[in-house]
Amino acid sequence: MSEDPCPCCDGTDTLNAESGASAERWITDGCVLDAELPRNLRSDLGRFLGMESVDTLGEWILEVRRCVDGDSITVEGLCLTDETTAHWGTVAGQRYRFACFYDAVILAALTDRPVDIRTKSPDGTVIHAHAAGTDELSVTHTEAVFSFGIDEAVETPSNDRPTLERGYAAICPYVKAFPEPKAYERWAKSVSAATIAMPLAGATELAAELVR
């Protein structure tokens, strides 16, 4: 498996002036699960699911859970790989290598032990984080953010529902960590996908819902 394949008004709030970010799509305040997504991301996520639109990350998570027929997400169901990867989580000395960095955050929600997370930003910056369950995530880069998005060319499923495998292929390449907001903005302009970004320190909120 290769390294890449394996959440007001229309859109989200911009980062404040202190961050140095321009007016991109961001979720920076309140519950990331309830914030309305940008129009293009809503429609692309909806098309992937065979729906008209997916308005929030909370709604998206509900649909993902339906894709697994209500079964709980397990460690074995994550994007584990035996190949060299930039993303991993370490629990009690055991290293889990992932094709998608966010699976290391989900790992923290699936275990009652602390997880040391290591990932690499598209610009090559290594980012370390320490997660304890779904309540705490500390990051070495205090301004770190992470992205969520989907391939803009994603197609409507040919049967009743999309598979998790198709979801990994369409979404995982656009879930990345960045050391600071400008790094995300530069990357977002270079990819063919609708994306948003939010603080990495709040990443466990999504993971908690996915494994609930």
PDB file of all heavy atoms in Angstrom, residues 14-22 143 181-182:
ATOM      1  N   THR A  14     -12.584  32.238   8.847  1.00  0.00           N
ATOM      2  CA  THR A  14     -11.160  32.373   8.537  1.00  0.00           C
ATOM      3  C   THR A  14     -10.382  32.445   9.829  1.00  0.00           C
ATOM      4  O   THR A  14     -10.901  32.812  10.875  1.00  0.00           O
ATOM      5  CB  THR A  14     -10.893  33.654   7.725  1.00  0.00           C
ATOM      6  OG1 THR A  14     -11.337  34.775   8.495  1.00  0.00           O
ATOM      7  CG2 THR A  14     -11.637  33.616   6.410  1.00  0.00           C
ATOM      8  N   LEU A  15      -9.099  32.086   9.755  1.00  0.00           N
ATOM      9  CA  LEU A  15      -8.254  32.252  10.921  1.00  0.00           C
ATOM     10  C   LEU A  15      -8.080  33.728  11.213  1.00  0.00           C
ATOM     11  O   LEU A  15      -8.187  34.570  10.322  1.00  0.00           O
ATOM     12  CB  LEU A  15      -6.883  31.600  10.679  1.00  0.00           C
ATOM     13  CG  LEU A  15      -6.865  30.090  10.591  1.00  0.00           C
ATOM     14  CD1 LEU A  15      -5.441  29.607  10.443  1.00  0.00           C
ATOM     15  CD2 LEU A  15      -7.510  29.450  11.799  1.00  0.00           C
ATOM     16  N   ASN A  16      -7.789  34.056  12.457  1.00  0.00           N
ATOM     17  CA  ASN A  16      -7.657  35.464  12.801  1.00  0.00           C
ATOM     18  C   ASN A  16      -6.378  36.049  12.247  1.00  0.00           C
ATOM     19  O   ASN A  16      -5.505  35.353  11.745  1.00  0.00           O
ATOM     20  CB  ASN A  16      -7.747  35.667  14.320  1.00  0.00           C
ATOM     21  CG  ASN A  16      -6.700  34.882  15.067  1.00  0.00           C
ATOM     22  OD1 ASN A  16      -5.592  34.709  14.587  1.00  0.00           O
ATOM     23  ND2 ASN A  16      -7.051  34.416  16.256  1.00  0.00           N
ATOM     24  N   ALA A  17      -6.276  37.346  12.313  1.00  0.00           N
ATOM     25  CA  ALA A  17      -5.166  38.044  11.663  1.00  0.00           C
ATOM     26  C   ALA A  17      -3.820  37.626  12.228  1.00  0.00           C
ATOM     27  O   ALA A  17      -2.813  37.632  11.522  1.00  0.00           O
ATOM     28  CB  ALA A  17      -5.351  39.548  11.823  1.00  0.00           C
ATOM     29  N   GLU A  18      -3.775  37.240  13.527  1.00  0.00           N
ATOM     30  CA  GLU A  18      -2.500  36.877  14.118  1.00  0.00           C
ATOM     31  C   GLU A  18      -1.868  35.659  13.449  1.00  0.00           C
ATOM     32  O   GLU A  18      -0.674  35.466  13.494  1.00  0.00           O
ATOM     33  CB  GLU A  18      -2.687  36.587  15.616  1.00  0.00           C
ATOM     34  CG  GLU A  18      -2.906  37.831  16.456  1.00  0.00           C
ATOM     35  CD  GLU A  18      -4.351  38.292  16.442  1.00  0.00           C
ATOM     36  OE1 GLU A  18      -5.153  37.706  15.677  1.00  0.00           O
ATOM     37  OE2 GLU A  18      -4.672  39.231  17.178  1.00  0.00           O
ATOM     38  N   SER A  19      -2.664  34.803  12.854  1.00  0.00           N
ATOM     39  CA  SER A  19      -2.130  33.592  12.242  1.00  0.00           C
ATOM     40  C   SER A  19      -1.429  33.869  10.932  1.00  0.00           C
ATOM     41  O   SER A  19      -0.663  33.057  10.447  1.00  0.00           O
ATOM     42  CB  SER A  19      -3.267  32.596  11.985  1.00  0.00           C
ATOM     43  OG  SER A  19      -4.070  33.045  10.905  1.00  0.00           O
ATOM     44  N   GLY A  20      -1.702  35.013  10.318  1.00  0.00           N
ATOM     45  CA  GLY A  20      -1.110  35.330   9.030  1.00  0.00           C
ATOM     46  C   GLY A  20      -1.776  34.628   7.880  1.00  0.00           C
ATOM     47  O   GLY A  20      -1.278  34.621   6.767  1.00  0.00           O
ATOM     48  N   ALA A  21      -2.921  33.981   8.108  1.00  0.00           N
ATOM     49  CA  ALA A  21      -3.588  33.225   7.054  1.00  0.00           C
ATOM     50  C   ALA A  21      -4.450  34.139   6.207  1.00  0.00           C
ATOM     51  O   ALA A  21      -4.971  35.139   6.665  1.00  0.00           O
ATOM     52  CB  ALA A  21      -4.454  32.138   7.674  1.00  0.00           C
ATOM     53  N   SER A  22      -4.605  33.784   4.950  1.00  0.00           N
ATOM     54  CA  SER A  22      -5.507  34.519   4.074  1.00  0.00           C
ATOM     55  C   SER A  22      -6.899  33.915   4.194  1.00  0.00           C
ATOM     56  O   SER A  22      -7.127  32.975   4.944  1.00  0.00           O
ATOM     57  CB  SER A  22      -4.993  34.452   2.632  1.00  0.00           C
ATOM     58  OG  SER A  22      -4.973  33.124   2.178  1.00  0.00           O
ATOM     59  N   GLU A 143       0.993  25.778  16.288  1.00  0.00           N
ATOM     60  CA  GLU A 143       0.072  26.296  15.275  1.00  0.00           C
ATOM     61  C   GLU A 143      -0.355  25.226  14.281  1.00  0.00           C
ATOM     62  O   GLU A 143      -0.991  25.534  13.264  1.00  0.00           O
ATOM     63  CB  GLU A 143       0.707  27.464  14.515  1.00  0.00           C
ATOM     64  CG  GLU A 143       0.921  28.719  15.353  1.00  0.00           C
ATOM     65  CD  GLU A 143       1.375  29.894  14.506  1.00  0.00           C
ATOM     66  OE1 GLU A 143       1.883  29.667  13.391  1.00  0.00           O
ATOM     67  OE2 GLU A 143       1.203  31.028  14.951  1.00  0.00           O
ATOM     68  N   PRO A 181      -0.675  27.340   9.529  1.00  0.00           N
ATOM     69  CA  PRO A 181      -1.725  27.568   8.535  1.00  0.00           C
ATOM     70  C   PRO A 181      -1.225  27.864   7.124  1.00  0.00           C
ATOM     71  O   PRO A 181      -1.807  27.384   6.154  1.00  0.00           O
ATOM     72  CB  PRO A 181      -2.493  28.762   9.113  1.00  0.00           C
ATOM     73  CG  PRO A 181      -2.306  28.644  10.580  1.00  0.00           C
ATOM     74  CD  PRO A 181      -0.899  28.152  10.754  1.00  0.00           C
ATOM     75  N   LYS A 182      -0.164  28.647   6.978  1.00  0.00           N
ATOM     76  CA  LYS A 182       0.294  28.988   5.625  1.00  0.00           C
ATOM     77  C   LYS A 182       0.747  27.753   4.848  1.00  0.00           C
ATOM     78  O   LYS A 182       0.610  27.704   3.629  1.00  0.00           O
ATOM     79  CB  LYS A 182       1.416  30.020   5.706  1.00  0.00           C
ATOM     80  CG  LYS A 182       0.930  31.417   6.060  1.00  0.00           C
ATOM     81  CD  LYS A 182       2.070  32.425   5.996  1.00  0.00           C
ATOM     82  CE  LYS A 182       1.565  33.829   6.279  1.00  0.00           C
ATOM     83  NZ  LYS A 182       2.660  34.833   6.237  1.00  0.00           N
TER      84      LYS A 182
END
